[in-house]
Amino acid sequence: MTTSPEKSELILVTGASTGMGAATARELAARGYYVLAGVRREIDGRSLESSRIRPVILDVTEPEQIADLAALIDTDGRPLRAVVNNAGIAVNAPVEVLPMQEWRRQFDVNFFGHIEVTKAMIPALLKSHGRVVMISSLGGRLAQPTYGAYSGSKYALEGVSDALRRELAPHGVTVVIVEPGAVRTEMVGRGGITLKKVAADMTDEQERRYGGLMQAILAQSEGFLRDGVDASHAAETIATAATVSRPRTRYTIGRDAALLTRLARILPDRLLDRVLAAALRPLFPRSR
């Protein structure tokens, strides 16, 4: 890729330690922007650091770290072109089975963390007429079984993003939602590990109800790791959403996201239920 001329603008990318966040930081730097790449540990930022990428310690659930970053941006002097709210985790299990602390952890990272980062950056974005890019998910438009907590956090993010877009548009700040489908990232693998841990703590009765389903979802997740789009491909769409002069309000990533978000809009709920069940059925363990 040919490196673009350097631009005197900042872009903040949260959740940049790995996966789409790291790929997006590199893509934006290649397009000439100066990137503040939010990572949770110093070691996570070492592979990212370059003349146009500055790793910054940022756990989106830590208000003091968010405040420190807002102060850094305020004193930097360069305009804040965009905030890419990418940090996220996936905690999958049936509603009945998932412990409440895991529900809270899911929302703290995927929803409340994004809101707190965005609120802290709005003063800088108002000055620059910048942009908020919310990384939602196909799961923010379509909730599969065991995705209750994850989809709940993403549905909430979509609703708040719509409200925020309408609040800030009169003041020159745009808000864009990006909805990835299956992407090969570490988050998918970590979600599978969490699912296995939750499954190990199920009662015998819960195992009878949900054991096959959880095995099918795990197999589906492994398919995402094998067949999903590469994080660098996702990063190109995210970088475009953050920088193009006239962005769409929503972007999808991957054919699955493009297709299923359309189906979710046009199919009756019961028919959509059958479509999703049919897609999972071959992944259930065979009865002996």
Side-chain angles (χ1 to χ4, degrees):
M1 171 180 272
T2 302
T3 302
S4 299
E6 187 167 1
K7 300 174 176 64
S8 59
E9 295 176 298
L10 299 175
I11 296 183
L12 168 64
V13 180
T14 71
S17 297
T18 59
M20 289 193 304
T24 298
R26 293 189 177 100
E27 177 66 23
L28 288 165
R31 296 187 187 198
Y33 295 93
Y34 189 79
V35 182
L36 298 175
V39 297
R40 294 184 65 188
R41 303 175 302 168
E42 289 185 9
I43 192 171
D44 295 331
R46 289 174 188 167
S47 62
L48 281 172
E49 191 167 7
S50 71
S51 61
R52 295 186 188 173
I53 301 178
R54 177 179 174 179
V56 291
I57 299 300
L58 179 63
D59 181 333
V60 299
T61 67
E62 294 291 340
E64 288 186 1
Q65 293 181 11
I66 295 171
D68 288 345
L69 182 57
L72 172 65
I73 290 171
D74 187 53
T75 58
D76 182 273
R78 285 171 288 196
L80 182 61
R81 179 71 184 81
V83 175
V84 179
N85 285 304
N86 170 76
I89 58 174
V91 179
N92 293 345
V95 171
E96 177 189 357
V97 173
L98 190 65
M100 286 310 300
Q101 66 265 28
E102 292 296 330
W103 282 88
R104 294 186 178 96
R105 184 168 73 97
Q106 180 77 91
F107 273 77
D108 279 345
V109 176
N110 286 16
F111 180 66
F112 292 115
H114 293 329
I115 302 307
E116 190 149 10
V117 168
T118 301
K119 283 167 63 70
M121 301 303 156
I122 284 176
L125 292 170
L126 288 169
K127 290 178 184 177
S128 64
H129 289 177
R131 185 168 303 166
V132 178
V133 179
M134 295 291 199
I135 306 303
S136 179
S137 170
L138 168 60
R141 305 292 292 278
L142 184 72
Q144 293 203 79
T146 78
Y147 280 73
Y150 179 78
S151 284
S153 69
K154 294 298 187 179
Y155 270 71
L157 188 66
E158 295 250 354
V160 169
S161 298
D162 284 340
L164 186 67
R165 183 179 68 250
R166 291 157 186 157
E167 292 165 1
L168 294 181
H171 308 288
V173 176
T174 54
V175 178
V176 179
I177 301 169
V178 179
E179 298 163 339
V183 179
R184 296 194 299 273
T185 68
E186 291 82 350
M187 186 186 77
V188 176
R190 290 194 294 267
I193 293 171
T194 302
L195 186 144
K196 290 178 182 178
K197 289 180 179 177
V198 172
D201 292 332
M202 288 193 300
T203 66
D204 291 342
E205 188 174 346
Q206 289 171 341
E207 170 64 32
R208 285 192 292 272
R209 274 197 291 276
Y210 306 119
L213 171 63
M214 293 180 76
Q215 289 185 54
I217 291 294
L218 185 59
Q220 186 183 66
S221 297
E222 291 170 351
F224 291 164
L225 288 172
R226 183 180 61 250
D227 303 325
V229 302
D230 189 77
S232 61
H233 172 77
E236 292 176 4
T237 299
I238 296 169
T240 296
T243 62
V244 70
S245 59
R246 293 177 63 87
R248 303 198 298 266
T249 57
R250 279 177 169 81
Y251 292 80
T252 58
I253 296 175
R255 292 181 180 177
D256 57 336
L259 173 62
L260 289 173
T261 53
R262 290 192 185 98
L263 289 180
R265 289 197 299 269
I266 62 176
L267 291 184
D269 287 345
R270 299 296 186 192
L271 180 54
L272 188 58
D273 291 349
R274 290 197 290 271
V275 169
L276 296 177
L280 277 177
R281 196 171 297 121
L283 302 176
F284 273 71
R286 294 184 178 181
S287 301
R288 296 180 179 177

